Amino acid sequence: MSAVIQFSVPTAQFPIGEALAASSDGPVRLETLVPTGDAVVPYLWVPTDDAGRVEGTLADSLLVEQLTAVDEVGEETLFRVRWTGVMSSVIEAIRESGGALLEASGTDTVWTFRARFDDHTDVSTFNQWCVDAGVSLTLEELHRSPQDGVPPTLTDPQREALLAALEAGYYDVPRAVTLGALADRLGISDTALSQRLRRGTRTLLSSTLDDDTPSPADGDDEH
């Protein structure tokens, strides 16, 4: 059974994070690392107010081979980055253990990662790889992917955010409430709410759209 883990490491042990922290005052996110041969091409979200500084810093960094701004959504700018060599011990540990990085976000002090592994043996291999590499890893969450008929595992904050969004009409067309207004109701920041909704939605979609999960046509109820 596959597993999704969330863990954090000090920014000082994540070279990319250190480079980004020097040029951005807000949180930075890495998404969807796609292997291309031996290289890894991540998509990088940064606060638009910091986009110019981040672009200048990374363009001069020995870690970066190519940097391209591809989109701007709300208050964030999306960059596509081709990194040179091994990104970090953390990323290498995930790849060597057969895992896939789903998302990473961080500040100048700590980076939080979410990764998927085929089974718990791979998780153990990943943990040992980090220990051997001297990475100070803190495991925050571990979820098993849902089996047939077993509902997906949401954290309490994710469940609260999704229910509040549904009841307030956030998913209506047109939307009955903005992200900012909904965040104010919950007493959290726009960024925190966006992350909870995105992660919760991904968990629910993974349980219903996974190729290994039987569809309602096979006689099973939808999750």
Side-chain angles (χ1 to χ4, degrees):
M1 180 186 300
S2 64
V4 174
I5 66 171
Q6 178 172 309
F7 63 94
S8 60
V9 300
T11 296
Q13 295 186 358
F14 187 48
I16 296 170
E18 282 195 302
L20 294 171
S23 54
S24 178
D25 295 327
V28 177
R29 298 187 287 119
L30 294 174
E31 286 190 359
T32 314
L33 301 192
V34 183
T36 305
D38 293 330
V40 176
V41 181
Y43 287 90
L44 171 67
W45 288 98
V46 302
T48 296
D49 289 345
D50 298 331
R53 283 186 293 164
V54 170
E55 187 169 16
T57 298
L58 294 185
D60 294 333
S61 173
L62 296 178
L63 296 171
V64 176
E65 179 179 317
Q66 184 178 20
L67 177 68
T68 306
V70 297
D71 202 358
E72 183 176 328
V73 179
E75 299 180 350
E76 291 183 306
T77 296
L78 178 66
F79 288 97
R80 185 175 183 178
V81 191
R82 184 182 297 276
W83 305 94
T84 58
V86 176
M87 296 176 69
S88 75
S89 295
V90 177
I91 304 299
E92 187 69 6
I94 293 174
R95 297 181 67 190
E96 288 296 321
S97 305
L101 180 59
L102 303 177
E103 184 180 6
S105 62
T107 64
D108 60 346
T109 57
V110 64
W111 271 75
T112 301
F113 301 81
R114 286 174 62 82
R116 182 185 300 278
F117 295 88
D118 288 344
D119 54 46
H120 283 251
T121 299
D122 290 338
V123 175
S124 298
T125 300
F126 165 72
N127 183 67
Q128 187 60 52
W129 208 106
C130 289
V131 170
D132 294 342
V135 176
S136 301
L137 179 150
T138 300
L139 181 64
E140 298 176 349
E141 296 179 10
L142 190 157
H143 299 301
R144 293 179 299 177
S145 293
Q147 293 178 308
D148 298 346
V150 179
T153 302
L154 295 173
T155 65
D156 289 340
Q158 289 169 3
R159 185 180 299 277
E160 177 189 22
L162 287 169
L163 285 174
L166 183 63
E167 293 171 355
Y170 179 75
Y171 295 111
D172 292 351
V173 180
R175 284 179 174 169
V177 65
T178 65
L179 182 70
L182 186 58
D184 288 341
R185 295 184 191 181
L186 294 174
I188 59 178
S189 68
D190 294 14
T191 300
L193 177 58
S194 176
Q195 291 180 351
R196 291 178 188 181
L197 292 176
R198 185 173 61 255
R199 289 171 177 169
T201 300
R202 181 175 56 219
T203 296
L204 294 175
L205 290 176
S206 295
S207 72
T208 57
L209 300 181
D210 192 299
D211 290 339
D212 294 329
T213 302
S215 66
D218 294 322
D220 293 304
D221 293 334
E222 293 186 3
H223 299 306

